[in-house]
Amino acid sequence: MSSLFDSDSFPPARESLEDGAVLLRAFATSEAAQLIEGVTRIAQQAAFRHLVVPGGHTMSVAMTNCGRVGWVSDRTGYRYDPLDPDTGKPWPGTPPVFLDLAVRAAADAGFADYDPDACLINRYVAGAKLSLHQDRDEKDPWAPIVSVSLGLPATFLWGGKRRADPVRRLRLESGDVVVWGGPARFVYHGVAPLKNGEHPLTGSARINLTFRKVF
Ligand code: SIN
Ligand code: FE2
């Protein structure tokens, strides 16, 4: 007898993207509201801002950070900075619920003892996007990036190790977590322009947390 819960009528909870990369569907759903509360508190101390990249272009995604260092960009380049350049103060600490989730997701993806020291927080509204890029400002070339999607859905672009490689389009929903490290650490990835919408958790926005091991 077929039922709503036939395995072929639901996407699998755990989808391998390639060696070293996995999509954990709904992994963060039960913590999502707490994560958003954490983001709200962090943004009260370190406001979301649109960074300028070295070429002079202003990013459509608004960013802030928590953790020992935060990722920032200006006309002179990208860097991890222990201080928020907007306030001159250290970034807010990483809430335990953030860290606990990141460590569990990394372990589930095969990366034991994950110890991230930075969490970049991205806020997308309709039209905001992130062009295809590699995350390569971190010292550890093996430790994974753990990326948590909250609020409005997005189309995640998953390419290859060369910019010109074919790109897959993956729909990410609130609570989905993508982990990539080891042999997949330098895969090109990005986010297609966000579509309009309303989400009970975030209103008209998508929030993404990306944990990194920088040092
Ligand atoms: C990132 O690549 O840093 C963020 C990815 C995302 O927003 O899903
Ligand atoms: Fe990235």
Side-chain angles (χ1 to χ4, degrees):
M1 195 180 92
S2 95
S3 83
L4 260 181
F5 300 101
D6 275 353
S7 57
D8 58 359
S9 60
F10 271 77
R14 189 173 207 298
E15 213 172 297
S16 171
L17 302 180
E18 63 184 81
D19 197 17
V22 61
L23 164 49
L24 306 170
R25 296 251 180 225
F27 193 89
T29 302
S30 55
E31 295 85 359
Q34 269 178 286
L35 297 172
I36 291 296
E37 278 173 36
V39 169
T40 303
R41 274 200 308 276
I42 289 161
Q44 285 163 358
Q45 301 167 62
F48 280 103
R49 78 288 308 262
H50 294 272
L51 295 168
V52 175
V53 295
H57 166 80
T58 300
M59 298 182 80
S60 58
V61 179
M63 297 179 170
T64 186
N65 293 274
C66 62
R68 275 209 306 129
V69 289
W71 187 86
V72 290
S73 173
D74 58 28
R75 282 177 178 275
T76 67
Y78 312 116
R79 67 183 186 278
Y80 280 100
D81 201 316
L83 301 180
D84 175 350
D86 280 10
T87 63
K89 294 187 192 151
W91 299 97
T94 306
V97 61
F98 283 37
L99 219 45
D100 175 71
L101 177 77
V103 170
R104 281 189 294 111
D108 204 274
F111 297 95
D113 305 317
Y114 188 45
D115 180 26
D117 42 29
C119 175
L120 173 65
I121 306 173
N122 293 320
R123 186 181 66 196
Y124 299 74
V125 295
K129 66 179 170 73
L130 200 58
S131 309
L132 218 53
H133 66 280
Q134 295 169 301
D135 293 333
R136 49 181 326 138
D137 302 326
E138 303 77 23
K139 207 170 268 174
D140 189 327
W142 191 264
I145 303 285
V146 173
S147 164
V148 181
S149 290
L150 299 165
L152 285 181
T155 302
F156 189 53
L157 309 174
W158 183 255
K161 285 171 194 144
R162 288 161 307 184
R163 187 179 284 280
D165 286 342
V167 173
R168 288 165 65 186
R169 298 171 67 88
L170 304 163
R171 184 178 162 93
L172 295 183
E173 306 268 0
S174 190
D176 289 351
V177 177
V178 187
V179 181
W180 64 95
R185 182 59 179 72
F186 296 111
V187 168
Y188 277 89
H189 59 280
V191 177
L194 197 81
K195 296 216 172 77
N196 253 316
E198 271 304 303
H199 192 281
L201 215 51
T202 57
S204 54
R206 169 180 185 255
I207 298 287
N208 170 264
L209 314 176
T210 50
F211 296 89
R212 296 107 191 280
K213 175 79 184 135
V214 177
F215 296 113

